[in-house]
Amino acid sequence: MSTKISDHVQVVIIGGGIVGCSVAYHLTKLGWADVLVLERKELGSGTTWAAAGLLAQLRQNQEMTNLAKYTLDLYEGLETETGVATGFRKNGAVAVCQTEDRRKELIRAAAMARAFNVEMHEISLNETEDLVPGMSTKDLVAAFYLPYDGITNPIETTRALAKGAKMGGAKILENVNVTAIKTQKGAVCGVSTDQGDVISEYVVNCAGMWGRHIGQMVNVSVPLHAAEHMHAVTMPIEGLKKHFPTVRDFDGETYFKSESDGILFGGFESVSKPWGMKGIPEKFMYTELQEDWDQFQPFMDCALTRFPAMETAQIRHLSVVPESFTPDTAFMVGEAPGVKNFFIGCGMNSVGIQSAGGVGRALSHWIVDGHPEEQLWPVDIKRYFPWQRNAKYLHDRIVEAVGVLYHHHYPNRQRTSARPVICSPIHDRLADNGAAFSMTAGWERADWFAPEGVEPVHKYSWEKPNWFDYQCEEHMAIREGVGLYDLTSMGKLLVQGRDAESVLQSLCSNDVAVSIGKVVYTPVLNERGGFETDVTVTRFSEDTFFVVTAAATVVHDYDYFRRHIPEDALTTITDVTHGYAMLAVMGPKSRDLLQKLTNADLSNDAFPYGTAQEIDVAYARPWALRMSYVGELGWELYIPTMFALPVFDAIFEESKQVGLRLVGMQAVNTLRLETGYRHWESDITPDETPYEAGLGFGVKLNKGEFIGRDALIKQKEEGIKRKLVMFTLDDPDIMLYGSEPMYRNGVWMDNLRSGAYGFKVGSAVGMGYVKHEKPITNEWILDGKYELEVQGKMIPAKEHIRSPYDPKNERTKM
């Protein structure tokens, strides 16, 4: 490795593990040779060296699967390219099921795999034992085979990537410790090290376990925490194949791979041991922790069941090492909020080896092109909030987070640790009325309400969950009467100043130069015309606009708006999320209820849809927005937080005469989906445009320049080649949860972006994109025969150009 530090480079990469070396390698492939990797000790000596080296292709969605597939393809040719032996092998993998519920999960996974061009199919238990001699299947109900999964040697693969990076012109320095990151005018401009300063245009944090500390240097939240992670290697065992497929026993929390004629096995503890609460020792390098055979016992128990020869096999070595995990067990990539040109690539959650190739390529394109090749919101660093770097929160969540990787991935499964974090002012009132809470962005939100005598506890299932009937009652209350739900968690931003209107006009595709009291739904786009977010904008005054967005995207949206305020603009943006509670009163009887509580005229003429007024309710003066995310008449009340509890009590007391029902987030989701309202992150993403999503009404091309306008003009001229379509089923008993593959005339189109039960239409409802090589017409859509693959069966589906409930969206304007 080179030994002299450079004074000036284009990109500094902090961390010489497999991710850091992959970023350097891919930057050189894009023609950026002025790249410097700084490693505090030796390449791969943090956690990379101790990884098991498993390479799985299938991940939770198409984008993550694409990263993993690319990684496997990259490693396959890396030895030929660099001359460094990597130990890569396509040995395949077998996933086994101890329960019928796990089989249902893997049937769904196999359907996704086929849609993503990953081979995965169910095999008999006899075939399983033929593939893996010595493995017992006596207690299993099913097994699935992925013939093209693989393994690799982590440290040698890292060295190969480093060699490839150097062949492309990158410089790699070991034994250099970064002590500070320099910034200027909100952007990084270099780093300080124990061997001198380096000026750079970009800095990439690939520091693994040290990533949180590196982020703190520029006040960026990089929430990860180390936990003890372990695997054991046996002495040679007679009768084993030299190279058998990797075995994943999710119900047993354990994986197995061939290793030197023996078995390497480890897993993901349901109750893990956080590590490093007092910091990481300065001398940490190829460091192993004290053996803990009690902690390892669940993996040993599974091994004794799965491989009977383990009864007499000798353990050659138990390796216990720390590895970093994140609160939601998804890794972190992308440009950090608040600091330009500071990128993140860490928190890999024990999938760093199988993801490093794809992550390196994605980050490199993000740096060079300004955006990744495809949307990566599920792993975007901007999904995290500043408070999530809290040490106690991370410690307590990581106890649970490790095991989540092998848990059942039921729909709506909630984390139970590190809660509560944020509660709305009426949290206790909701709890007293039987709320079962879910958690989003740290907020405790009523998910559904249990009737008296029923415990408000989630019991998960691939069929109808235990809250299904109560959710139906809440859904129908809003459809036919009146319901109230608490969405205080919604993000709320104030954009103010003399130039606020012009700034928002440049950001929003809809026209927000409206009169005071007008509410505008608008997409906010990137240069490619894709959704960066979608929001409502309410004009409070000549120079004040109130922007409402989703709870989970506040950091992302605030950062996107802030970055696009010109330096010379007299405009500020302020996050006022916690300053306002939001109570939504919705349903055909909502006017009757609210009119009893205010002297404001709530009639259509005096208070039309899409407008806002400050009105009296109880002793407060909330802003009432006549908008709806559930497809019914109603008002969203934005109440200064200190007034929220009395306002709720007044509404609840008055509602006894009209039969108001408290409503949870499960019903809100089914209501919005039944009505065809889109959800950013699933139905609309940075890769879809308003025209493709059926939201062209939110685009005003004639209003003047805005981000994404040129792309939309071009698309409108050429025609769209994919479009969001809704689906219902004839069979009322089949459930949809999203991600089910959707086929038109036998050809895969997309996986459903959203799925839920439409209680009013009497069927599960889903949304997904159809695609065509020519411009799509409604006639072409309606001419197709559609099927959804649900639990391994092809289910006929009815397509809908408009929503199956209230297709003209008339009920909101009653």
Side-chain angles (χ1 to χ4, degrees):
M1 300 295 171
S2 178
T3 57
K4 186 179 183 303
I5 198 163
S6 302
D7 296 327
H8 188 289
V9 296
Q10 190 171 15
V11 184
V12 169
I13 299 169
I14 304 172
I18 195 166
V19 175
C21 290
S22 177
V23 174
Y25 170 90
H26 285 91
L27 282 171
T28 65
K29 292 296 183 183
L30 294 176
W32 285 29
D34 194 13
V35 176
L36 174 63
V37 179
L38 300 177
E39 164 55 43
R40 59 178 291 278
K41 294 296 183 183
E42 296 179 7
L43 293 187
S45 64
T47 56
T48 295
W49 71 276
L54 310 182
L55 302 176
Q57 299 175 84
L58 184 64
R59 303 292 297 157
Q60 69 269 35
N61 58 38
Q62 185 165 15
E63 291 81 11
M64 298 302 103
T65 299
N66 290 344
L67 295 185
K69 287 172 62 180
Y70 169 78
T71 298
L72 203 109
D73 292 341
L74 171 67
Y75 293 172
E76 187 171 19
L78 205 52
E79 181 174 341
T80 300
E81 178 186 351
T82 66
V84 178
T86 62
F88 174 86
R89 177 181 295 274
K90 278 187 178 176
N91 62 317
V94 175
V96 301
C97 311
Q98 295 184 27
T99 66
E100 188 58 37
D101 259 17
R102 183 70 70 176
R103 179 174 179 268
K104 290 177 181 178
E105 179 177 325
L106 293 186
I107 287 173
R108 292 175 63 89
M112 286 178 57
R114 285 190 293 275
F116 301 159
N117 200 27
V118 171
E119 186 169 339
M120 176 181 180
H121 57 272
E122 189 170 4
I123 58 175
S124 70
L125 297 182
N126 286 337
E127 290 175 297
T128 305
E129 292 187 349
D130 289 341
L131 283 168
V132 191
M135 184 176 81
S136 171
T137 63
K138 290 181 180 179
D139 63 327
L140 301 179
V141 300
F144 292 78
Y145 183 40
L146 297 95
Y148 299 112
D149 277 10
I151 56 174
T152 198
N153 182 299
I155 197 69
E156 296 303 331
T157 304
T158 301
R159 290 170 179 159
L161 288 166
K163 175 74 175 295
K166 290 195 295 178
M167 289 165 60
K171 182 182 287 188
I172 298 176
L173 298 182
E174 297 179 311
N175 299 302
V176 179
N177 191 31
V178 174
T179 57
I181 300 172
K182 299 183 177 183
T183 62
Q184 188 174 35
K185 293 184 177 180
V188 294
C189 60
V191 301
S192 296
T193 79
D194 56 2
Q195 298 181 31
D197 292 350
V198 182
I199 298 171
S200 68
E201 187 179 351
Y202 298 87
V203 175
V204 189
N205 177 2
C206 297
M209 284 193 303
W210 294 263
R212 179 158 55 115
H213 170 68
I214 297 298
Q216 288 171 347
M217 292 179 179
V218 284
N219 198 32
V220 168
S221 178
V222 183
L224 53 79
H225 198 294
E228 293 188 17
H229 204 46
M230 55 191 72
H231 64 248
V233 181
T234 72
M235 299 292 285
I237 297 176
E238 188 175 349
L240 289 182
K241 276 185 179 179
K242 184 175 180 61
H243 299 293
F244 61 79
T246 298
V247 175
R248 293 184 175 87
D249 188 335
F250 298 106
D251 298 303
E253 304 176 353
T254 309
Y255 62 81
F256 306 87
K257 64 168 280 196
S258 57
E259 182 82 8
S260 304
D261 296 321
I263 296 176
L264 181 154
F265 66 106
F268 296 88
E269 306 91 340
S270 289
V271 180
S272 73
K273 291 175 62 178
W275 179 87
M277 284 70 74
K278 296 181 180 179
I280 302 172
E282 193 282 327
K283 293 183 179 180
F284 191 100
M285 181 175 69
Y286 302 118
T287 301
E288 295 191 55
L289 308 180
Q290 183 175 347
E291 294 179 349
D292 187 340
W293 288 99
D294 290 338
Q295 183 76 356
F296 193 74
Q297 191 61 48
F299 309 142
M300 181 62 76
D301 291 342
C302 181
L304 291 169
T305 300
R306 201 57 56 232
F307 288 88
M310 289 291 296
E311 189 72 44
T312 57
Q314 289 183 297
I315 302 294
R316 175 160 57 90
H317 181 64
L318 173 61
S319 174
V320 182
V321 297
E323 186 169 353
S324 62
F325 292 81
T326 63
D328 60 1
T329 57
F331 50 79
M332 294 176 282
V333 297
E335 189 174 13
V339 184
K340 293 180 181 179
N341 297 342
F342 182 53
F343 285 80
I344 311 297
C346 50
M348 301 307 292
N349 299 281
S350 202
V351 295
I353 308 304
Q354 74 180 38
S355 303
V359 167
R361 185 177 73 171
L363 275 173
S364 298
H365 278 280
W366 212 324
I367 293 167
V368 174
D369 302 331
H371 57 84
E373 294 176 286
E374 56 185 346
Q375 74 90 15
L376 295 175
W377 173 248
V379 293
D380 193 320
I381 181 65
K382 294 186 186 72
R383 74 189 187 275
Y384 283 125
F385 290 75
W387 62 264
Q388 287 181 285
R389 75 176 91 173
N390 177 280
K392 178 172 173 53
Y393 165 79
L394 290 171
H395 171 278
D396 294 352
R397 173 53 59 85
I398 260 58
V399 171
E400 176 189 21
V402 176
V404 164
L405 290 164
Y406 271 22
H407 283 175
H408 287 278
H409 297 93
Y410 290 117
N412 193 48
R413 180 157 187 168
Q414 298 295 311
R415 306 294 168 85
T416 59
S417 59
R419 293 176 62 181
V421 177
I422 311 170
C423 295
S424 88
I426 65 166
H427 175 273
D428 290 352
R429 293 288 197 273
L430 302 180
D432 290 345
N433 282 279
F437 289 96
S438 58
M439 188 275 295
T440 296
W443 286 90
E444 294 291 325
R445 307 200 301 188
D447 207 39
W448 51 277
F449 289 85
E452 189 174 350
V454 175
E455 190 176 8
V457 175
H458 291 83
K459 296 180 181 178
Y460 304 105
S461 172
W462 288 106
E463 311 304 329
K464 295 177 180 178
N466 69 310
W467 62 84
F468 185 82
D469 291 340
Y470 315 131
Q471 178 186 351
C472 175
E473 293 172 6
E474 295 167 27
H475 182 113
M476 297 307 290
I478 283 185
R479 285 283 179 256
E480 299 175 353
V482 61
L484 180 149
Y485 55 86
D486 174 17
L487 263 179
T488 298
S489 58
M490 294 291 285
K492 309 162 197 89
L493 309 174
L494 276 181
V495 182
Q496 298 171 286
R498 186 188 68 190
D499 299 322
E501 179 186 296
S502 62
V503 168
L504 286 173
Q505 284 289 72
S506 70
L507 279 163
C508 301
S509 65
N510 209 340
D511 188 355
V512 298
V514 293
S515 58
I516 295 171
K518 181 67 176 173
V519 187
V520 178
Y521 165 81
T522 179
V524 177
L525 309 176
N526 53 42
E527 295 287 356
R528 306 179 307 283
F531 283 88
E532 282 298 318
T533 186
D534 68 329
V535 299
T536 60
V537 178
T538 303
R539 189 163 205 159
F540 277 2
S541 69
E542 285 297 327
D543 61 358
T544 301
F545 295 81
F546 185 62
V547 179
V548 177
T549 189
T553 62
V554 175
V555 171
H556 170 278
D557 294 358
Y558 176 88
D559 187 70
Y560 192 78
F561 276 64
R562 188 189 60 81
R563 285 172 185 259
H564 288 89
I565 298 176
E567 287 187 13
D568 60 351
L570 292 177
T571 304
T572 62
I573 180 169
T574 309
D575 181 359
V576 295
T577 296
H578 297 276
Y580 290 89
M582 195 277 258
L583 303 180
V585 181
M586 297 285 159
K589 295 182 180 179
S590 59
R591 180 181 284 119
D592 298 338
L593 171 58
L594 286 175
Q595 194 65 78
K596 297 176 184 296
L597 293 158
T598 183
N599 58 6
D601 185 349
L602 303 183
S603 66
N604 263 325
D605 290 340
F607 205 143
Y609 180 77
T611 63
Q613 299 178 28
E614 273 191 294
I615 65 173
D616 292 348
V617 179
Y619 300 129
R621 291 275 297 163
W623 273 97
L625 275 59
R626 191 169 164 201
M627 297 293 288
S628 175
Y629 193 52
V630 293
E632 298 293 342
L633 169 70
W635 282 262
E636 297 176 351
L637 303 179
Y638 290 87
I639 311 159
T641 302
M642 58 280 198
F643 289 102
L645 190 57
V647 169
F648 172 82
D649 286 344
I651 295 173
F652 203 62
E653 179 64 28
E654 187 64 44
S655 72
K656 293 176 181 178
Q657 299 181 27
V658 294
L660 174 137
R661 179 102 186 197
L662 294 178
V663 172
M665 291 301 101
Q666 286 295 309
V668 171
N669 184 54
T670 54
L671 287 158
R672 73 92 188 168
L673 185 55
E674 187 176 60
T675 317
Y677 292 168
R678 281 53 164 163
H679 175 251
W680 192 88
E681 178 185 356
S682 51
D683 310 318
I684 50 178
T685 78
D687 289 343
E688 284 92 35
T689 72
Y691 296 141
E692 293 168 338
L695 297 174
F697 67 88
V699 176
K700 300 294 185 292
L701 293 176
N702 60 358
K703 72 163 188 167
E705 292 299 322
F706 59 86
I707 297 172
R709 180 173 181 267
D710 291 344
L712 294 186
I713 290 173
K714 182 179 179 182
Q715 187 176 70
K716 194 168 187 179
E717 291 173 348
E718 296 177 351
I720 59 173
K721 296 185 179 179
R722 59 177 170 173
K723 187 172 182 178
L724 191 66
V725 176
M726 296 190 65
F727 299 93
T728 55
L729 307 177
D730 291 335
D731 189 334
D733 294 324
I734 294 177
M735 303 293 290
L736 297 175
Y737 295 110
S739 298
E740 292 85 358
M742 178 261 291
Y743 294 84
R744 180 186 184 275
N745 296 342
V747 177
W748 177 74
M749 294 279 107
D750 189 17
N751 282 15
L752 288 186
R753 302 301 185 87
S754 294
Y757 202 85
F759 293 98
K760 186 65 173 179
V761 300
S763 159
V765 181
M767 288 185 184
Y769 285 86
V770 296
K771 55 189 177 182
H772 191 38
E773 66 273 9
K774 298 178 181 178
I776 287 179
T777 63
N778 288 345
E779 290 74 20
W780 180 85
I781 293 172
L782 297 172
D783 190 47
K785 176 185 177 183
Y786 296 90
E787 296 173 297
L788 304 177
E789 187 169 359
V790 183
Q791 299 289 11
K793 298 179 181 178
M794 301 302 289
I795 307 298
K798 170 62 180 174
E799 75 282 3
H800 301 268
I801 302 296
R802 292 175 175 264
S803 61
Y805 177 76
D806 190 21
K808 295 183 180 181
N809 198 30
E810 294 172 329
R811 294 183 63 82
T812 59
K813 304 174 180 63
M814 292 170 54

